[in-house]
Amino acid sequence: MIQVRELANYTGDIARSLGIKKYDIYGSSIDSTNVQVDRGEPKQVKASNRSSVIVRVWNENDTVGVTSTTDVDPNGIKLALKTACEASFFGVKENIPDFSPEATNPLPEVQYNKTSQIPVSELIDKLLNAEKELLETHPAIESVPYNSLSQQDIDRFYLNSEGALREEGRTYAMVYLYTKTEEAEKKPRSGGSFRMSQGMEALAIADCVKEASEKTISHLNYQKVPSGKYRVVFSAEAFLSLLGAFSNMVNAQNILDKQSLCTPESLGEAIASPLLSLCDDALHKDNVAAETFDGEGTPTRRIPLITEGILTGFLHSAGTAKQMNATPTGHANLGAKITVSPHFYHVFQGQSPEQEYKLEEAENTILIDELNALHAGVNSLQGSFSLPFDGWLMNKGDRVSIDAGTVAGDIREVLKSIIYVEKEPELTPSGVCPRIWVDGLSITGEN
Amino acid sequence: MPPSTLLLTKELPTLQYVSTPECFDITWEAPLSTLLGLGRAAGADFIEIFLERSNYISCLAEEAAITSISPRLATGAGVRVFHGKGDCYVSTNNLSFNGLKSALEKALSILGLNIPSPNAYVPEIYLEMIRDYAAAKDKQKWLPECSSMQEMGDILLAANDQLEKKASHIQSRRSMYSRDWQEVMIAASDGTFARDIRLTQTVGSNLLCADGENRTSNGLRDGDTSDPDFLRNWGYEKTAEELAETAGKMLYADYVESGEYPIIMANHFGGVIFHEACGHLLETTQIERKTTPFIDKKGEKIAHENLTAWDEGRSEDAFGSLDMDDEGMPTQRTLLIENGILKNFLADRAGSMRTGHPRTGSGRRQNYSFAAASRMRNTYIASGSYSVDTLFASVDKGIYCKKMGGGSVGPTGEFNFGVDEAYLIEKGKVTKPLKGAILIGEAKEIMNKISMCSDDLSLAPGFCGSVSGSIYVTVGQPHIKVDSIVVGGR
């Protein structure tokens, strides 16, 4: 792991020797172990202990250059500072980035208990047991071709030449199980589940096994659905993945770059049904990956983005906030061009619904559990998507798995066609969200 | 200096290896040999050490300004140890002898192996005389001969200027370039000892046009390995012309009506269909997981008799070309399918050990933080005997997929591809533009539906993400006809 104060000291000395007066650094170290198994045997173990930093330098003309490096010893930092200085002469001349005005503000207090890593042999045993239990849940489950159990220690820091210095450490444990079935004269089917926690002790491996098994079994009997327009219910994971694919709508950098479906003037407009509200909340109590500062050292916080259907906020870096006369929100990633990204979405009911719906009473309704291939089927600049999905056709409590269906639409229409936001939220790694009901989406199945 | 007599484990702390820090040369042989011997002394079946140094830079021009120049310097190593059926991979940034030894010790201990007692001998591992592809092809000069930061910026701004001149309804225009220089050295306990330098460059433009509610975004990319003059010779005027023409057609395109259609897929990047729908399923990684329907089909017909396909790493300058793979094996030309018959799988070392299929020089990885896995290089469907006109004439109503987007294949063989530029075919003629199409199918079925291949094979650069990270590949094909496929749309 990087000794941050030591690094800060020698970076200061090197910068002075190079005549560099203004700089900042964001960096991280990761110590991780990951195991995979295959039919009762350990398959592969991966371990890594790596560090990297990104160095940003302002030259005498006040333009900025960056360089990232994995060499964090004094020689590596010296080369990075020199290279960044060289790049700085090609830096932007307008809207030049500056330190975040909040880089030394107090950080929010988050209760966090780092946990110790367990021995690799125990990791393997835990995963072997999970694989065994999963295979025993149904004879059709022939293998768990994709599986992993991993633990990570991540330390991250930000410092600048004006004395800002922040650091924090996190520990994570993650399990992923993905099955494959084999039955005579049937297509192979599959089901996956993922769990994440702050440490191995709290990791709900049994829940992961149960969910992977239940999903797989629910897909064993499948049918094609006729193509047409359907009422669709998105699971939390599916809806959050769709929101994530179109996050340019609330991303201030994308908006300034004209790479968004929204403009600065969109604030205050109705972009969704009044039934929907959305915040980004890095500090949400259920976010096991809660970070208290971003890549520019800005403290993170809860940001309302959509309030009862109205666009009420954007995600900002220090630079976008300055350009749009707003406040940094703690969403910046340091780089030659600062990017902005969400932390943890919180979707919840906006206005009270006039009518409530229940899945067990729904007729000819499609429940989408997971959207696939988002990198291929989403055109985030046009708003359109056409995506394969895993899901079921729901009819009065009965559910039948759908074979090879795709759902297509436009995100702006989807948001406005929401007819119900359920009350009970589900926790996923990217946020909390209840099931979302949308009317009139195009489904391609069979003709 | 290497020890002059057989080394004892207790003498390890006294060794003082001095390896050249700026490049991987012969001075690395002694420490790597000692570490490999140490691994064998601990009881490992096989040990491989991968060293990497990289110098990457990307440049982005937006509108009339350079908005990002982003250099990235990295050094790292990966130590892989095999023992029985298991293997362990440990990566580190520390390339000192002690840093590499720590990584090796960690890998050994994870597999239940320990450094032997202080008085145990460390067996000598005799490495082959270094195969230095960098020196043999004078690749040292590549990096200094590449475009400077100033030149990168000038060329990208000129490209953006061309976009502005040639297109209308522009909302944003971007051009970007990246240069990835990588030096690698591989040493293994079977005596493998090799070094190479790779230079991979890509450049392209993106255009977003909007008129009211109508929007279209299109991009074109070119790529190269091994030519320092690549950016200087980039034909950005032609790129701008093609993007402007596509934007003009697609801006007002209707959404495709979902259904099942015959399709004609264009050559060049159209080859992504074979890459996703078949290529991945011929990697031994998939055999190990039993996630390929072709697992026991070698020698059997798996595709239409008109289809022959290759994966190779030898085409001059192609984006997936390599002199050696990331396990030190020279790349080769691998016949995958001949007239519909499955001939070979793509195997890395571990895949070969676990499945019995011979290695094909296909062990690849993004960087030192990944263990190598069986991956594609330049993968394409061979030219057929039909003319392009004949293909179109055979379609009464269908879709012409002129430009493909990305795609993926799932563990059960189901795949999907986005289509960036599509047109309706009516009575053999290309008519109106269509947007929002996604092709959906199953690998086993689709391979038998590729019924016609034209005679105009063309290759295109691409990026492939999988178990060993994102790597540079080539996809390719002539125009092909797929008799029937599900097209998702509205």
Side-chain angles (χ1 to χ4, degrees), chain B residues 67-82:
Chain B
T67 55
S68 171
I69 286 195
S70 190
R72 188 174 71 225
L73 310 167
T75 53
V79 178
R80 192 171 193 184
V81 176
F82 289 83

Side-chain angles (χ1 to χ4, degrees), chain A residues 45-70:
Chain A
V45 180
K46 292 179 192 164
S48 70
N49 194 335
R50 303 192 308 272
S51 304
S52 68
V53 300
I54 182 158
V55 177
R56 189 163 60 155
V57 167
W58 282 256
N59 62 26
E60 59 264 31
N61 302 327
D62 209 31
T63 55
V64 184
V66 308
T67 292
S68 56
T69 182
T70 58

Side-chain angles (χ1 to χ4, degrees), chain A residues 31-33 36 38-39 41-52 54 65-71 76 79-80 83-84 86-88 90-93 117 120-121 124 142-143 145-147 178-180 182 187-190 224 227-229 254 257-261 335-337 372-373 375-377 379-388 403-410 412-413 442-445 447, chain B residues 57-58 60 62-63 65-76 80 85-94 106 109-111 148-151 153 170-174 207-208 213 215-218 250 255 258-260 276 285-292 350 354 368-372 405-408 410-412 414-420 435-438 440 442 445 467-468 486-490:
Chain A
D31 182 355
S32 71
T33 313
Q36 296 168 39
D38 182 19
R39 281 167 281 249
E41 298 276 351
K43 186 183 177 199
Q44 189 175 58
V45 180
K46 292 179 192 164
S48 70
N49 194 335
R50 303 192 308 272
S51 304
S52 68
I54 182 158
V66 308
T67 292
S68 56
T69 182
T70 58
D71 289 337
L79 181 59
T83 311
E86 185 189 349
S88 69
F90 304 94
V92 291
K93 308 283 191 296
Q117 295 203 356
V120 174
S121 56
I124 292 171
E142 186 257 351
S143 65
Y146 294 91
N147 62 73
Y178 192 94
T179 63
K180 178 170 168 276
E182 205 66 67
K187 288 184 180 182
R189 307 294 283 170
S190 57
K224 287 193 181 293
S227 297
K229 300 275 188 187
N254 291 151
D257 291 341
K258 298 179 183 173
Q259 302 286 313
S260 171
L261 298 168
K337 181 178 171 111
N372 302 318
H375 69 283
N379 191 324
S380 60
L381 298 178
Q382 295 179 16
S384 60
F385 63 88
S386 183
L387 297 165
D403 176 34
T406 65
V407 57
D410 184 294
R412 293 162 292 193
E413 290 169 19
S442 294
I443 300 290
T444 303
N447 295 300
Chain B
I57 190 165
S58 64
L60 171 68
E62 294 178 278
E63 317 309 329
I66 298 297
T67 55
S68 171
I69 286 195
S70 190
R72 188 174 71 225
L73 310 167
T75 53
R80 192 171 193 184
K85 289 182 179 174
D87 77 280
C88 178
Y89 188 78
V90 175
S91 59
T92 178
N93 295 130
N94 189 343
K106 185 165 188 178
S109 72
I110 284 171
L111 291 171
S148 65
M149 290 184 195
Q150 180 73 53
E151 191 173 30
I170 296 174
Q171 176 155 329
S172 76
R173 56 202 157 97
R174 294 178 151 195
L207 189 58
L208 172 61
E213 289 297 302
R215 296 163 76 94
T216 181
S217 58
N218 302 284
M250 298 306 295
Y255 280 104
S258 61
E260 204 163 326
E276 295 291 351
T285 316
Q286 305 292 333
I287 299 178
E288 288 178 55
R289 296 180 199 272
K290 297 192 175 177
T291 48
T292 168
R354 289 173 180 145
Y368 68 90
S369 65
F370 295 89
S408 66
T412 55
E414 286 173 350
F415 64 79
N416 56 80
F417 308 90
V419 187
D420 284 349
K435 65 182 175 184
I438 186 164
I440 303 145
E442 201 174 328
E445 291 174 5
V467 287
S468 59
V486 174
V487 179
R490 297 285 179 90

Side-chain angles (χ1 to χ4, degrees), chain A residues 4-247:
Chain A
V4 179
R5 286 175 195 278
E6 194 183 320
L7 182 140
N9 288 338
Y10 62 69
T11 300
D13 294 342
I14 295 166
R16 271 188 294 281
S17 73
L18 295 172
I20 295 167
K21 292 179 182 157
K22 185 174 178 180
Y23 62 87
D24 62 359
I25 301 181
Y26 176 83
S28 63
S29 300
I30 178 166
D31 182 355
S32 71
T33 313
N34 170 290
V35 302
Q36 296 168 39
V37 299
D38 182 19
R39 281 167 281 249
E41 298 276 351
K43 186 183 177 199
Q44 189 175 58
V45 180
K46 292 179 192 164
S48 70
N49 194 335
R50 303 192 308 272
S51 304
S52 68
V53 300
I54 182 158
V55 177
R56 189 163 60 155
V57 167
W58 282 256
N59 62 26
E60 59 264 31
N61 302 327
D62 209 31
T63 55
V64 184
V66 308
T67 292
S68 56
T69 182
T70 58
D71 289 337
V72 296
D73 62 11
N75 287 336
I77 292 295
K78 186 174 185 180
L79 181 59
L81 284 167
K82 279 172 135 176
T83 311
C85 201
E86 185 189 349
S88 69
F89 291 96
F90 304 94
V92 291
K93 308 283 191 296
E94 294 175 5
N95 299 313
I96 297 170
D98 202 347
F99 292 155
S100 167
E102 300 190 11
T104 52
N105 283 10
L107 292 177
E109 286 197 12
V110 173
Q111 287 294 323
Y112 198 94
N113 298 317
K114 284 183 77 174
T115 60
S116 301
Q117 295 203 356
I118 65 170
V120 174
S121 56
E122 286 183 34
L123 279 180
I124 292 171
D125 287 346
K126 281 177 184 285
L127 190 57
L128 285 171
N129 284 338
E131 185 198 41
K132 183 168 178 281
E133 284 171 21
L134 185 48
L135 289 171
E136 285 172 352
T137 58
H138 198 282
I141 301 178
E142 186 257 351
S143 65
V144 190
Y146 294 91
N147 62 73
S148 75
L149 181 61
S150 57
Q151 51 189 1
Q152 291 183 347
D153 286 3
I154 299 178
D155 288 349
R156 45 192 293 276
F157 70 91
Y158 171 84
L159 63 88
N160 71 27
S161 52
E162 290 181 356
L165 199 160
R166 309 180 177 292
E167 56 183 314
E168 68 184 4
R170 296 287 183 259
T171 53
Y172 305 114
M174 289 163 278
V175 60
Y176 179 62
L177 300 167
Y178 192 94
T179 63
K180 178 170 168 276
T181 67
E182 205 66 67
E183 284 189 302
E185 296 178 10
K186 280 190 173 180
K187 288 184 180 182
R189 307 294 283 170
S190 57
S193 180
F194 174 80
R195 291 289 187 279
M196 183 175 175
S197 70
Q198 290 178 357
M200 198 56 69
E201 201 170 310
L203 189 63
I205 298 176
D207 288 352
C208 191
V209 169
K210 186 165 178 272
E211 184 178 83
S213 172
E214 285 176 357
K215 278 189 184 177
T216 309
I217 292 166
S218 74
H219 290 304
L220 286 176
N221 293 315
Y222 54 87
Q223 67 179 44
K224 287 193 181 293
V225 288
S227 297
K229 300 275 188 187
Y230 286 82
R231 175 169 292 174
V232 168
V233 182
F234 288 96
S235 70
E237 185 178 333
F239 192 72
L240 288 171
S241 63
L242 200 59
L243 280 183
F246 291 100
S247 64

